[in-house]
Amino acid sequence: MTDADTGQSLPVRAVFEGEFVNDDSAVSPPSWWRRLVNAWRRSPRVPLWAKDRVHAIQALKDLTVTVLRSPFRFLGAVVRGLVVTVRWWRSWVTVRDYREAAEQSEKLADKFTDIRALTLFRWKVTGAVATAVPTVGLVLWLLYGPRALWIAGAAVAVALAVLGRHRDGSPGRRAVLSGPRTLTWTMDPQVLVDAFRDAKLIGKDETLRLVERATRQGEGWAITVDLPATRKAVDIVKNRDALASALAVDEIQLNVERVRGNGGHAGRVALWVADEDPYGTPPIRTPLLAADRWDAWRPVPFGTDARGRRIDLPLVWTSVLIGAIPRQGKTMAERLAAAGLILDPHVRLYVADFKNGKDWKAAERVAHRFMAGDDSEHVLEFVDWLVELVADVQARYRRMQDLDDVTCPESKVTPSMSRDIALGMPITALVVDEVQIPLEDRTPLEVQGKKLTAGEYCGELLMWLAKKAPAAGVILVLATQRPDGKTIPSGLRAVLGSRFALRVMDWRDSNIILGEQMNTRGYDSSRLLPSHKGVGILRPDGETQAGADVLALTVRTFYMPNEDWREICAQGRVLREQEGTLTGHAAGHTTRPMLDHAAVAKAIGSAAPAKSERASEIELAEPLASVVDYLADELENGDRDFVPTAELIAVLGVEPTAFGREMAELGCRPTRDRVSDGSRIRQVRGYNLADIRAAVERAHDSTATDTEVVGDDR
């Protein structure tokens, strides 16, 4: 290579991938100061407060508090040491040890004279010491002045403080009336270890390993610890109430999470303890009031957790179930989920208010279809809505087949597709309040020659939509004040991705909303306080601000009274008028949907026997058939979650080993659970009724598949 000006040849270096061609200078090594800083920060011998500014500030605060408390702690230790000394002297002067030994050997009468003589001698020693001490003090004062008395008094005080210090095994440390333990562990980590031991979460000889020291986070203290090698974090989450009792705080103030991902493992636990009840303060207004519009593809602001972090609820590609007893904030939680969809002008809304109140009245201005009422005619109209939605979803999937891979990369609606009016695939939300009313309706219907009730047909349609509609852009948001197994079919609950359970009556209702065995994992909404309106347990289908791997968390929903709700609905109507997306009921069009019940019934399989009839018409293999006959009511109503093996063997009169093997072949494997026999709780082997229901469903699916194959052969 030559220079254009001088004509001289220039050296040419090889060019490697990732190297800047124009940079001829070699990369200079790090300076000695940078190497020293890196070594300092990476060294395990350097304390954490010397590496991080936040921890240094916290350590300085702790040191300041310790210095300010030290005089009072010293005085308390001196008093405790004086009490210990007096107790010891009293036991010594009364010859208690000698007397107790004589009593145990039943020779107290023989030793009475010796005990009396020894007691008299020790009293004489006490009197001599009581006379000698003032005398020695007087001599020291005469020879050296008051300074000697001050030095002697300080030495005695230090000795008493050492004797009365807080330490395991210190003499005389008998807790009669202990003081409060609240947040003591922030100053002394040993108290946290003792709390884990008191709660029986670790053994007496086991300890914790500190990962991150206690620091202030929000209105509370946070700390991360590693459990002993044989302990699991899920057990700490499950026994959160026992740990809260050991820490002397209400369990609502204690947040326990397993640390997952690259920075965690099965034995790492993150604790956060609030200074006071995090839900005792006034609720926060929804931040959607400050938003001019919202994107439905973004999670909707839903509430805050105990730490004050905002929790957003993902809605696209999932469905939501909200359950609670009356007057716990169920409708407000559902309106919060719908509010973000209302502020997106490209979202089509179906709103069914079976409460027939004023809570959803403002949604008339934005809803494509709106209904308020609880009569049979409203249920039948709702059935027509569901049929229309099923047909719409089928049509969307057919149109996706004709789209190129750029417009539709997968068989899913994309943001650009949902906003393209020509494609006709907007995000569509079906919002139903008091969904138990249509599901319990007994109005007779005939679908493709098969008679069934409107409630059963609604259940089949909702189940189909929850399974197949989210990918096509259709969202279900269902709310009920009667969360029981009879009201909401298990097949429908199983395909609803996100769950939110406010306070319910017992753990069974909580499990129906959140999922089977959630109470055994430490999530039970029946334990929420009645005063905590709008507080519930959220099991999200997607990532939240608490992390993608969080199973569930306690959330307090934002506050959105009727005036805020009306304002959001009015803004949603303005946005739709500007975008030209105001349709259906909101636009004044009251035409009934075009229905093709035959095609819909064929799609969802409703021409087959209804679910209540299937179990009786399908020939189940033994011993599953006998088990289903015995548990008929429990399987239908969801009154039980577990049945002991001994009970089934006694009722059915089968051989235990063969029974267990045959049930396992049918997909029902035994497990262990705790049952009460009236006097105590025992752990026994048995079967979850959810597994038995699943086995019945598999038998039905297998029978249905065989029927379809035979039909095709014909």
Side-chain angles (χ1 to χ4, degrees):
M1 179 177 180
T2 58
D3 191 336
D5 297 331
T6 63
Q8 297 178 354
S9 60
L10 299 177
V12 178
R13 297 193 304 121
V15 179
F16 299 96
E17 182 179 359
E19 182 181 5
F20 287 102
V21 177
N22 295 331
D23 188 6
D24 293 333
S25 60
V27 179
S28 59
S31 63
W32 66 270
W33 173 253
R34 176 56 59 185
R35 292 198 299 270
L36 178 62
V37 170
N38 292 338
W40 178 271
R41 291 181 175 177
R42 295 173 183 173
S43 175
R45 298 178 179 86
V46 179
L48 192 59
W49 60 265
K51 301 179 182 179
D52 184 73
R53 180 173 177 271
V54 175
H55 289 86
I57 294 175
Q58 187 61 47
L60 181 61
K61 292 180 181 179
D62 295 345
L63 178 62
T64 304
V65 172
T66 302
V67 171
L68 294 176
R69 292 178 56 190
S70 58
F72 303 99
R73 297 180 64 182
F74 179 79
L75 181 59
V78 171
V79 173
R80 289 192 299 271
L82 183 61
V83 172
V84 171
T85 303
V86 171
R87 287 177 178 174
W88 174 84
W89 168 80
R90 184 179 178 184
S91 175
W92 177 80
V93 78
T94 56
V95 202
R96 183 174 299 172
D97 52 347
Y98 194 25
R99 186 187 300 272
E100 290 177 354
E103 289 178 353
Q104 292 178 0
S105 61
E106 298 182 356
K107 295 181 179 180
L108 182 61
D110 299 338
K111 301 293 183 179
F112 182 77
T113 303
D114 296 339
I115 292 174
R116 183 179 179 84
L118 185 57
T119 302
L120 182 60
F121 171 75
R122 291 185 177 182
W123 272 110
K124 289 179 180 180
V125 173
T126 301
V129 172
T131 304
V133 170
T135 302
V136 173
L138 180 60
V139 172
L140 292 175
W141 180 71
L142 291 175
L143 293 177
Y144 302 103
R147 182 182 301 176
L149 296 182
W150 282 106
I151 294 175
V156 172
V158 170
L160 292 175
V162 171
L163 185 62
R165 68 190 184 279
H166 281 294
R167 194 181 67 175
D168 291 342
S170 297
R173 299 293 298 135
R174 292 186 301 174
V176 180
L177 290 175
S178 301
R181 305 182 302 278
T182 307
L183 298 181
T184 308
W185 58 272
T186 60
M187 301 300 171
D188 186 2
Q190 182 61 37
V191 177
L192 181 63
V193 177
D194 294 340
F196 271 79
R197 291 174 179 169
D198 294 340
K200 293 182 173 48
L201 300 176
I202 61 175
K204 292 184 178 180
D205 298 330
E206 295 177 329
T207 186
L208 303 174
R209 185 180 296 273
L210 188 65
V211 179
E212 293 182 3
R213 66 187 306 276
T215 55
R216 292 290 297 179
Q217 288 188 8
E219 298 298 325
W221 290 88
I223 188 171
T224 303
V225 296
D226 276 349
L227 301 173
T230 58
R231 307 289 177 171
K232 295 182 292 185
V234 292
D235 296 329
I236 310 300
V237 177
K238 182 169 60 177
N239 296 282
R240 179 170 58 98
D241 53 346
L243 182 59
S245 174
L247 290 172
V249 297
D250 190 275
E251 61 184 84
I252 202 71
Q253 295 176 243
L254 176 61
N255 185 27
V256 183
E257 298 176 356
R258 173 188 167 185
V259 181
R260 309 195 68 166
N262 294 331
H265 54 79
R268 180 162 293 180
V269 178
L271 306 175
W272 185 82
V273 183
D275 299 336
E276 55 187 14
D277 184 357
Y279 307 115
T281 57
I284 303 174
R285 300 286 278 269
T286 174
L288 287 175
L289 288 173
D292 294 332
R293 63 191 297 156
W294 195 261
D295 185 356
W297 291 85
R298 293 173 54 193
V300 176
F302 192 65
T304 57
D305 64 358
R307 303 192 191 190
R309 298 176 297 187
R310 194 179 94 176
I311 302 299
D312 295 343
L313 180 65
L315 292 177
V316 177
W317 291 343
T318 187
S319 299
V320 184
L321 174 63
I322 301 173
I325 60 176
R327 295 175 299 279
Q328 291 299 315
K330 166 181 55 62
T331 300
M332 185 172 295
E334 190 176 22
R335 292 198 309 192
L336 284 166
L341 303 175
I342 289 175
L343 290 178
D344 188 336
H346 298 283
V347 173
R348 181 182 297 169
L349 291 167
Y350 286 64
V351 180
D353 178 18
F354 287 101
K355 184 189 295 184
N356 196 19
K358 62 181 295 185
D359 297 323
W360 296 92
K361 190 69 175 176
E364 278 191 289
R365 307 183 63 187
V366 293
H368 176 72
R369 296 201 181 278
F370 181 86
M371 175 181 58
D374 55 359
D375 297 329
S376 295
E377 60 185 48
H378 297 98
V379 174
L380 296 178
E381 182 180 353
F382 181 66
V383 170
D384 292 343
W385 288 12
L386 298 180
V387 172
E388 179 186 32
L389 286 173
V390 171
D392 182 31
V393 170
Q394 290 178 304
R396 293 188 183 197
Y397 282 124
R398 286 194 297 268
R399 293 199 299 273
M400 287 182 192
Q401 297 176 2
D402 299 329
L403 298 177
D404 58 76
D405 292 340
V406 176
T407 305
C408 182
E410 302 176 2
S411 294
K412 294 181 180 179
V413 171
T414 63
S416 59
M417 291 170 60
S418 66
R419 299 186 183 101
D420 190 343
I421 300 178
L423 291 178
M425 299 185 191
I427 295 296
T428 302
L430 174 63
V431 182
V432 186
D433 198 2
E434 307 297 352
V435 70
Q436 76 276 358
I437 292 178
L439 290 174
E440 292 179 338
D441 191 85
R442 310 305 297 173
T443 303
L445 293 177
E446 184 173 343
V447 180
Q448 290 296 96
K450 182 64 184 179
K451 294 182 179 179
L452 67 167
T453 65
E456 292 171 342
Y457 195 31
C458 282
E460 295 288 342
L461 293 168
L462 287 172
M463 192 185 311
W464 189 93
L465 288 171
K467 288 179 179 179
K468 299 192 65 175
V474 177
I475 306 167
L476 303 185
V477 183
L478 312 179
T480 178
Q481 65 176 357
R482 196 178 303 165
D484 56 60
K486 185 177 180 180
T487 300
I488 304 179
S490 59
L492 174 59
R493 296 197 312 269
V495 291
L496 296 174
S498 296
R499 320 283 186 86
F500 184 60
L502 295 107
R503 193 171 75 90
V504 294
M505 293 306 297
D506 60 22
W507 60 269
R508 297 179 184 85
D509 295 340
S510 177
N511 281 352
I512 287 174
I513 302 170
L514 297 176
E516 295 292 340
Q517 306 298 321
M518 284 295 288
N519 66 311
T520 62
R521 304 183 190 180
Y523 303 102
D524 184 0
S525 63
S526 66
R527 305 175 70 174
L528 297 173
L529 299 180
S531 58
H532 290 160
K533 305 293 185 183
V535 178
I537 298 176
L538 175 64
R539 187 177 182 182
D541 182 14
E543 184 175 356
T544 65
Q545 285 74 2
D549 299 319
V550 174
L551 176 62
L553 67 161
T554 303
V555 176
R556 184 183 193 181
T557 58
F558 288 120
Y559 181 61
M560 187 171 61
N562 280 334
E563 55 268 24
D564 295 348
W565 170 247
R566 288 193 294 268
E567 181 179 343
I568 288 175
C569 291
Q571 178 65 16
R573 182 178 180 88
V574 171
L575 293 173
R576 282 165 173 76
E577 290 175 345
Q578 293 174 352
E579 297 287 343
T581 56
L582 198 65
T583 60
H585 183 91
H589 304 153
T590 58
T591 57
R592 297 184 64 84
M594 299 296 293
L595 305 177
D596 187 356
H597 284 281
V600 171
K602 181 180 179 181
I604 68 173
S606 288
K611 183 179 179 181
S612 60
E613 299 169 332
R614 291 175 193 157
S616 60
E617 293 185 5
I618 299 172
E619 291 188 8
L620 300 175
E622 290 292 346
L624 182 60
S626 300
V627 173
V628 171
D629 290 340
Y630 171 65
L631 299 173
D633 294 336
E634 286 82 357
L635 288 172
E636 182 68 23
N637 301 331
D639 296 335
R640 298 175 67 182
D641 294 324
F642 180 82
V643 55
T645 303
E647 177 182 342
L648 294 176
I649 292 174
V651 172
L652 303 180
V654 294
E655 197 274 324
T657 304
F659 176 76
R661 183 178 62 254
E662 292 169 355
M663 289 291 287
E665 292 174 354
L666 294 172
C668 298
R669 298 191 176 275
T671 183
R672 288 187 177 273
D673 203 348
R674 298 180 183 273
V675 297
S676 175
D677 59 1
S679 59
R680 61 192 181 95
I681 297 178
R682 299 181 298 110
Q683 190 175 37
V684 300
R685 292 180 66 84
Y687 297 90
N688 290 324
L689 266 65
D691 295 338
I692 298 176
R693 295 190 191 96
V696 175
E697 289 293 333
R698 284 194 297 271
H700 162 70
D701 295 340
S702 176
T703 303
T705 303
D706 294 342
T707 303
E708 291 177 2
V709 171
V710 172
D712 293 340
D713 293 341
R714 290 179 182 177

